[in-house]
Amino acid sequence: MEYNFREIEKKWHEYWIANGVYKVTENKDKPKYYVLDMFPYPSGAGLHVGHPLGYIASDIYSRYKRLQGFNVLHPMGYDAYGLPAEQYAIQTGQHPEVTTKQNIARYREQMDKIGFSYDWSREIRTCDPEYYHWTQWAFIKMFNSYYCNDEKQARPISELIAAFEQVGTEGLNVACGEEMSFTAEEWKAKSDKEKQEILLNYRIAYRGETMVNWCPELGTVLANDEVVNGVSERGGYPVEQKLMRQWCLRVSAYAQRLLDGLDTIDWTDSLKETQRNWIGRSEGAEVNFKVKDSDLEFTIFTTRADTMFGVTFMVLAPESELVSQLTTPQQKQEVDAYLERTKKRTERERIADRSVTGVFSGSYAINPFTGEAVPVWISDYVLAGYGTGAIMAVPAHDSRDYAFAKHFNLPIIPLIEGCDVSEESFDAKEGIVCNSPRPDVTPYCELSLNGLTVKEAIAATKKYVAEHKLGRVKINYRLRDAIFSRQRYWGEPFPVYYDADGMPQMLPFEALPLQLPEVDKFLPTATGEPPLGHATKWAWDAAAQKVVETAKIDNKTVFPLELCTMPGFAGSSAYYLRYMDPHNDKGLVDKQVDEYWRNVDLYIGGTEHATGHLIYSRFWNKFLYDMGVVCEEEPFKKLINQGMIQGRSNFVYRIKDSNTFVSLNLKDQYEVTPLHVDVNIVSNDILDMEAFKNWRPEYNNAEFILEDGKYICGWAVEKMSKSMFNVVNPDMIVEKYGADTLRLYEMFLGPLEQSKPWDTNGIDGVHRFLKKLWALFYGNTESLQITEAQPTAEELKSLHKLIKKVTFDIEHFSYNTSISAFMICINELSSLKCNKRAILEQLIILLAPFAPHIAEELWHVCGHTTTICDAPWPQHNEEYLKENSVIYAISFNGKARFNLELPADMSREEVEKAALSHESSAKWMEGKAPKKVIVVPGKIVNIVI
């Protein structure tokens, strides 16, 4: 019987849906296992073959764990908000919701064809009000919370207000934007507006001034990863740095807990290190510098207070509010010009760029350790968000300070004995300190570090700073608060309105969800408001409308609503929790449901989310843990980053000034131009010439110079892109070879975590493997050929070798080697002409996670009436793997001369006797008695003559 994959796959798709095979509920009689994919943004282009790589990997593991007896949660949904849909709406006038729904339908159709075991009854879409209801709810919770550093958790803002009422800021140790000091009496004397402004300094969700990537053309703030080389990734529009009042989340309050949590989860060392570097914990001191001839002073943070004696200038970030305060009238024009240039560069570009630029402010600061006046410069190599936005420059021992000092001819003072700073800075992490204090400067303080090691000097300086009230010892983090506003339409609305004083207030929970209203334009308003400024009526359900009317909340008269929307990561930060309980209208997730599923056991997605989504999601989860909403502090126990499938481009070679194309190996005989050609009309690098002529009108009359009657294309590995015509649609592969072939081939391309090129040249071999498997059951007949005969030792050995290998490989995500093992086993069983039920049924259970359609079909033709998904996973038996005999290499004076097969359980003495008595040994011994015989059991016998 022919292997009719189209008929088989259609049949089992329908069966799985009709019988709810993948629907899952909580079951306390089974251990749980939660497998999650990073859910996709549904673009209009649909899936290409690179997209399903991680989904196939997670599906294999989900099916495997189910076969092992686990209750597996494996959901899927859509990250449905985003700028692409909004930009398309601006260009065409079509509502983003319409295109998003169309794109989702396309994605679903494609994913269904591949045979994923998703429980689609749990599908979520971030643009669904039933979903973002709970994003809005979490935001309100964050607004009504502050972070207590003593208790290391979020607490109700009402507790902080009560403390202010009783003792003011005395003894306060909480996360905040700036340090404040006031008494209870001073607090009580403040107006309500003043109190609200102070509380914004402590709330976990707050409005604050922050530097953003502003794109005037798009009319919105962009995240760092949405900006490339100073322009927007989408559209290529100029982006500038701009100080704006934005909604922010106080992620920085959780910095230490985010660091500590990395020690409790099973992530790769490289990913953990990326997050540690992003969080950037550093221990040091804040030191106060007075401004010469002024009452002003400012603070710097340094991890190396011991280098204070080597400070020769100060540097401010261009965005620092100190710039305007310290710039003298004489320098203003030059400073303004510099600021105008730097605002067009993102922080990421500034970090990467090592060129030296800067401008003198005109002011000087007094070094509190030497009394010297040092110039204050402005340069974009200093960032406003790290530390205080101002640094003390020690050019002798910092490479960027050194380059700056050399460029602007500023002093360089070494502080380590014997170091040479004539050509470059010296890494001062070790050594003996000198020039502290400097012999050429009148002693200004009693501290002397000369003769101490660097470690001793750091400790002594920090102690001196604290004791003499020059600043304070402090732990600092590079991690900054998340900007949470976007001036876009297509995003979650904020549950925020503004009172008569212009202060933000939260909608009551009963009014949620505040739904995204209709607008007639998706661009900012004429007065510069975000697109929601065009809304004339906001969307409330009937219950919420009563709450709104009672509270007298009206967008156009008394209380205006927030016109910004939340960013993309708002909807993706806690989505794993909603999958647990997607239809709950009373809460984000039921407590008992959460305590059953707890957190994600296996999360699969790309490395590009290491410092965005994965940081924010961990923060969001920790906040919900503090609120008692979830029972686990970390959301993702194990994380696997799948590699990327790159495109394999094909080229044709057009002879100059003609419409003639020459085959690859003849092209050097002509002057040619290589052109990308659609890889879907190329097979094994051989061009379908008729399809090429019909591909584009300009090629209708194309002529070809062939080799051996074929046109052979060139090739290269490039990013999969429509512009390179190397995008391969999985639908085409499924139509031609079947979904099981696609699944196996994507896993067979190489290790899951490595990037690899897509190359259809090998897909035929995978398809032949499935046909060979089919032939084990049917042979060349139309009927099933399975027998009930007992397996032979060779058949059992082949099967159990496979069970052991595949089980190990799946646990270690080494899917490519599993598929190789399947191919070897099928070849062995085919050679043995095996058709034993005891062997073949176990074989298809092993294959079911990889190729579920053919496995389900063969399982049922073998007489089973329930799905193969619930069969027990096979266990290997070591007894079947024992070797009865081994091959010894027989060597003479270290040189192998012949092989000898002997029983595996033969003793050393018997092996030695057999080797010496073998007829071939006589030739090499030449009648001599051996001086020594060395036996390595199971491997070699070396006879020394």
Side-chain angles (χ1 to χ4, degrees):
M1 180 182 289
E2 183 185 0
Y3 167 44
N4 188 336
F5 61 84
R6 292 187 185 91
E7 185 178 297
I8 289 168
E9 291 176 2
K10 182 176 183 294
K11 169 184 174 182
W12 293 111
H13 286 163
E14 293 171 355
Y15 173 89
W16 292 329
I17 293 170
N19 291 274
V21 170
Y22 302 131
K23 188 173 175 59
V24 63
T25 57
E26 294 71 45
N27 183 350
K28 294 184 178 179
D29 295 331
K30 282 187 173 185
K32 71 93 183 182
Y33 203 90
Y34 187 173
V35 180
L36 182 63
D37 297 296
M38 291 186 184
F39 66 167
Y41 172 78
S43 72
L47 296 173
H48 63 60
V49 291
H51 294 128
L53 180 70
Y55 305 157
I56 295 170
S58 70
D59 197 60
I60 290 171
Y61 205 82
S62 297
R63 291 174 179 276
Y64 164 69
K65 296 304 285 188
R66 179 169 173 172
L67 290 164
Q68 284 193 318
F70 286 84
N71 189 28
V72 179
L73 175 57
H74 188 209
M76 177 50 79
Y78 303 96
D79 190 8
Y81 277 131
L83 189 57
E86 184 159 341
Q87 282 302 106
Y88 188 74
I90 292 169
Q91 293 163 9
T92 65
Q94 192 169 32
H95 197 284
E97 184 175 14
V98 174
T99 55
T100 299
K101 284 182 177 178
Q102 291 171 348
N103 296 345
I104 285 174
R106 174 79 176 118
Y107 266 59
R108 174 64 188 273
E109 178 188 18
Q110 289 184 290
M111 285 195 277
D112 281 347
K113 287 180 180 178
I114 302 173
F116 295 124
S117 59
Y118 294 129
D119 179 358
W120 284 109
S121 71
R122 295 173 179 263
E123 177 191 319
I124 59 173
R125 303 178 183 188
T126 56
C127 63
D128 183 347
E130 289 185 8
Y131 178 79
Y132 65 68
H133 176 149
W134 301 106
T135 308
Q136 293 175 343
W137 170 86
F139 179 82
I140 294 173
K141 286 281 191 181
M142 291 180 188
F143 181 82
N144 289 324
S145 302
Y146 75 101
Y147 193 85
C148 178
N149 291 328
D150 291 330
E151 297 188 35
K152 295 182 174 58
Q153 66 170 194
R155 303 293 304 165
I157 199 75
S158 57
E159 292 182 3
L160 188 62
I161 295 171
F164 289 163
E165 293 278 347
Q166 295 174 15
V167 296
T169 56
E170 182 182 346
L172 192 67
N173 183 22
V174 302
C176 59
E178 62 174 293
E179 298 292 335
M180 291 185 170
S181 179
F182 50 80
T183 65
E185 290 69 28
E186 289 171 331
W187 168 259
K188 292 172 185 175
K190 295 181 184 298
S191 67
D192 184 63
K193 181 179 181 181
E194 289 173 328
K195 288 179 179 178
Q196 292 300 320
E197 286 176 337
I198 289 171
L199 289 173
L200 285 174
N201 188 54
Y202 300 98
R203 295 184 188 274
I204 289 179
Y206 66 94
R207 269 171 62 87
E209 295 283 345
T210 184
M211 193 61 60
V212 298
N213 300 317
W214 174 249
C215 181
E217 188 72 25
L218 296 176
T220 188
V221 170
L222 299 177
N224 280 335
D225 56 7
E226 295 174 313
V227 182
V228 179
N229 298 324
V231 298
S232 62
E233 183 182 39
R234 176 80 40 184
Y237 302 116
V239 175
E240 61 185 48
Q241 298 295 290
K242 184 177 181 179
L243 194 64
M244 291 182 67
R245 195 161 183 79
Q246 297 281 315
W247 280 106
C248 301
L249 301 184
R250 208 175 298 281
V251 180
S252 59
Y254 285 78
Q256 189 58 51
R257 282 172 64 185
L258 289 168
L259 274 177
D260 295 341
L262 292 173
D263 295 329
T264 69
I265 50 183
D266 183 10
W267 293 13
T268 62
D269 290 340
S270 60
L271 184 54
K272 287 184 179 182
E273 194 59 26
T274 297
Q275 290 216 345
R276 288 191 182 101
N277 291 336
W278 191 259
I279 296 166
R281 186 182 194 274
S282 52
E283 299 180 18
E286 285 187 342
V287 183
N288 301 323
F289 279 73
K290 295 183 181 298
V291 179
K292 183 182 179 184
D293 301 327
S294 169
D295 293 332
L296 291 172
E297 69 174 21
F298 61 93
T299 303
I300 61 92
F301 173 81
T302 178
T303 58
R304 296 295 307 275
D306 59 303
T307 62
M308 293 289 297
F309 292 102
V311 174
T312 60
F313 58 99
M314 314 293 288
V315 187
L316 305 177
E319 306 84 11
S320 171
E321 61 184 21
L322 290 167
V323 170
S324 60
Q325 298 174 34
L326 270 60
T327 298
T328 62
Q330 297 86 346
Q331 290 296 111
K332 188 175 187 313
Q333 184 176 353
E334 194 175 346
V335 169
D336 286 349
Y338 183 74
L339 297 182
E340 184 64 27
R341 291 195 302 273
T342 59
K343 75 178 184 179
K344 295 179 173 63
R345 288 155 54 85
T346 66
E347 288 190 357
R348 185 173 291 180
E349 290 169 334
R350 286 160 56 178
I351 292 169
D353 187 4
R354 308 298 289 187
S355 60
V356 178
T357 65
V359 62
F360 178 44
S361 71
S363 294
Y364 292 81
I366 304 300
N367 185 331
F369 280 63
T370 66
E372 290 181 292
V374 295
V376 180
W377 287 72
I378 302 156
S379 178
D380 66 0
Y381 81 88
V382 177
L383 305 177
Y386 180 65
T388 64
I391 68 161
M392 60 179 212
V394 185
H397 305 296
D398 180 274
S399 60
R400 298 204 74 164
D401 293 348
Y402 184 90
F404 195 91
K406 282 288 189 182
H407 187 82
F408 291 105
N409 197 28
L410 297 166
I412 299 172
I413 302 168
L415 300 174
I416 301 295
E417 289 183 1
C419 72
D420 179 8
V421 293
S422 59
E423 298 296 332
E424 61 182 359
S425 60
F426 178 80
D427 184 348
K429 292 179 182 177
E430 295 181 355
I432 303 301
V433 175
C434 66
N435 286 332
S436 303
R438 301 202 323 261
D440 60 321
V441 176
T442 303
Y444 187 73
C445 67
E446 63 269 29
L447 178 67
S448 176
L449 305 177
N450 292 335
L452 299 180
T453 64
V454 167
K455 187 176 181 180
E456 292 168 339
I458 291 172
T461 314
K462 285 162 66 174
K463 181 180 179 183
Y464 185 86
V465 166
E467 289 178 347
H468 290 76
K469 295 183 170 48
L470 299 176
R472 60 174 179 161
V473 175
K474 187 183 179 185
I475 294 174
N476 206 30
Y477 299 90
R478 185 178 293 112
L479 181 67
R480 280 166 282 175
D481 292 342
I483 298 170
F484 204 62
S485 297
R486 296 292 186 269
Q487 292 68 35
R488 298 175 183 163
Y489 169 74
W490 192 234
E492 293 96 329
F494 279 95
V496 175
Y497 67 94
Y498 291 88
D499 62 22
D501 291 326
M503 298 305 297
Q505 305 294 335
M506 297 296 111
L507 292 173
F509 289 129
E510 298 83 359
L512 301 181
L514 171 60
Q515 296 182 38
L516 195 64
E518 295 290 336
V519 296
D520 56 4
K521 294 180 181 177
F522 303 108
L523 291 167
T525 67
T527 56
E529 291 179 322
L532 283 181
H534 293 293
T536 57
K537 183 180 179 181
W538 287 73
W540 311 86
D541 63 27
Q545 183 62 37
K546 290 182 180 179
V547 175
V548 171
E549 290 169 356
T550 303
K552 296 180 181 178
I553 299 167
D554 180 86
N555 184 41
K556 292 300 177 185
T557 55
V558 184
F559 298 119
L561 288 160
E562 172 63 68
L563 299 181
C564 289
T565 53
M566 299 185 195
F569 75 83
S572 63
S573 290
Y575 76 116
Y576 91 93
L577 291 166
R578 194 60 180 170
Y579 279 135
M580 296 179 185
D581 202 6
H583 308 299
N584 187 345
D585 61 359
K586 300 292 189 295
L588 170 63
V589 58
D590 179 80
K591 193 169 185 64
Q592 289 186 339
V593 172
D594 178 68
E595 286 176 351
Y596 177 76
W597 294 113
R598 305 193 72 83
N599 55 7
V600 175
D601 296 283
L602 174 65
Y603 196 23
I604 295 183
T607 56
E608 67 272 17
H609 299 292
T611 57
H613 160 64
L614 290 173
I615 290 279
Y616 298 141
S617 195
R618 293 180 63 220
F619 149 74
W620 202 288
N621 193 80
K622 288 177 188 294
F623 172 78
L624 293 175
Y625 178 80
D626 292 350
M627 294 292 103
V629 176
V630 300
C631 60
E632 294 284 355
E633 189 167 352
E634 286 290 340
F636 315 120
K637 289 168 67 174
K638 184 176 182 65
L639 178 68
I640 297 290
N641 292 130
Q642 86 274 10
M644 183 194 309
I645 289 186
Q646 299 160 310
R648 190 181 189 275
S649 303
N650 279 115
F651 298 91
V652 292
Y653 303 94
R654 184 168 61 192
I655 297 175
K656 186 177 180 181
D657 299 328
S658 77
N659 203 25
T660 300
F661 296 82
V662 59
S663 188
L664 172 67
N665 297 310
L666 303 175
K667 65 180 175 61
D668 292 341
Q669 301 173 26
Y670 304 88
E671 187 177 353
V672 299
T673 302
L675 301 171
H676 281 91
V677 64
D678 187 348
V679 296
N680 295 293
I681 58 174
V682 179
S683 178
N684 292 331
D685 294 330
I686 298 172
L687 180 70
D688 182 333
M689 290 177 282
E690 284 305 311
F692 178 75
K693 288 181 178 181
N694 295 326
W695 177 42
R696 298 172 72 169
E698 61 265 38
Y699 301 145
N700 286 345
N701 299 317
E703 296 182 355
F704 303 94
I705 299 175
L706 310 177
E707 45 184 310
D708 297 327
K710 300 174 183 177
Y711 188 97
I712 300 174
C713 297
W715 64 273
V717 174
E718 301 174 301
K719 181 180 178 181
M720 205 167 272
S721 165
K722 287 188 291 185
S723 65
M724 297 174 185
F725 306 110
N726 63 358
V727 172
V728 178
N729 188 327
D731 298 1
M732 298 179 67
I733 303 298
V734 171
E735 173 61 26
K736 186 173 181 180
Y737 296 101
D740 286 340
T741 297
L742 173 68
R743 291 168 63 102
L744 287 167
Y745 188 61
E746 291 225 2
M747 295 299 99
F748 191 49
L749 283 172
L752 177 62
E753 296 176 36
Q754 291 182 13
S755 292
K756 49 262 178 187
W758 176 265
D759 182 359
T760 51
N761 291 347
I763 202 166
D764 287 324
V766 172
H767 191 60
R768 285 195 300 272
F769 156 72
L770 290 176
K771 288 182 175 180
K772 205 166 188 177
L773 167 70
W774 187 262
L776 285 175
F777 288 78
Y778 284 95
N780 296 319
T781 70
E782 290 295 311
S783 59
L784 193 66
Q785 299 297 303
I786 285 185
T787 70
E788 306 298 330
Q790 289 299 309
T792 65
E794 291 92 340
E795 291 168 340
L796 287 168
K797 179 181 177 182
S798 183
L799 172 66
H800 285 262
K801 186 171 60 174
L802 180 67
I803 296 172
K804 183 176 183 179
K805 175 66 174 169
V806 171
T807 303
F808 178 86
D809 284 352
I810 292 179
E811 290 286 358
H812 293 83
F813 304 94
S814 184
Y815 297 143
N816 58 317
T817 54
S818 286
I819 295 165
S820 296
F822 276 118
M823 292 176 172
I824 292 169
C825 181
I826 295 297
N827 285 337
E828 290 174 349
L829 295 178
S830 297
S831 298
L832 295 168
K833 294 183 170 51
C834 175
N835 60 354
K836 316 287 175 51
R837 178 185 295 275
I839 298 294
L840 298 186
E841 284 194 352
Q842 297 285 286
L843 173 64
I844 57 174
I845 296 172
L846 292 173
L847 188 63
F850 297 84
H853 306 88
I854 191 172
E856 190 80 81
E857 174 70 13
L858 293 173
W859 181 250
H860 280 258
V861 299
C862 285
H864 297 278
T865 57
T866 58
T867 175
I868 196 172
C869 297
D870 294 324
W873 184 255
Q875 304 296 314
H876 83 276
N877 186 335
E878 285 290 341
E879 288 298 316
Y880 296 134
L881 302 181
K882 289 182 178 178
E883 298 288 350
N884 294 323
S885 63
V886 292
I887 305 294
Y888 281 89
I890 311 301
S891 298
F892 294 85
N893 292 337
K895 292 185 178 181
R897 298 302 185 181
F898 64 92
N899 292 330
L900 182 60
E901 184 174 359
L902 297 171
D905 58 355
M906 186 175 273
S907 67
R908 285 175 180 265
E909 292 76 15
E910 290 173 317
V911 170
E912 179 179 331
K913 183 177 179 181
L916 290 172
S917 61
H918 193 272
E919 58 184 18
S920 297
S921 293
K923 171 185 174 183
W924 299 103
M925 293 174 66
E926 298 176 343
K928 299 176 183 176
K931 296 179 181 177
K932 189 176 184 182
V933 179
I934 302 167
V935 177
V936 179
K939 293 184 178 180
I940 192 171
V941 178
N942 186 30
I943 301 169
V944 182
I945 300 174

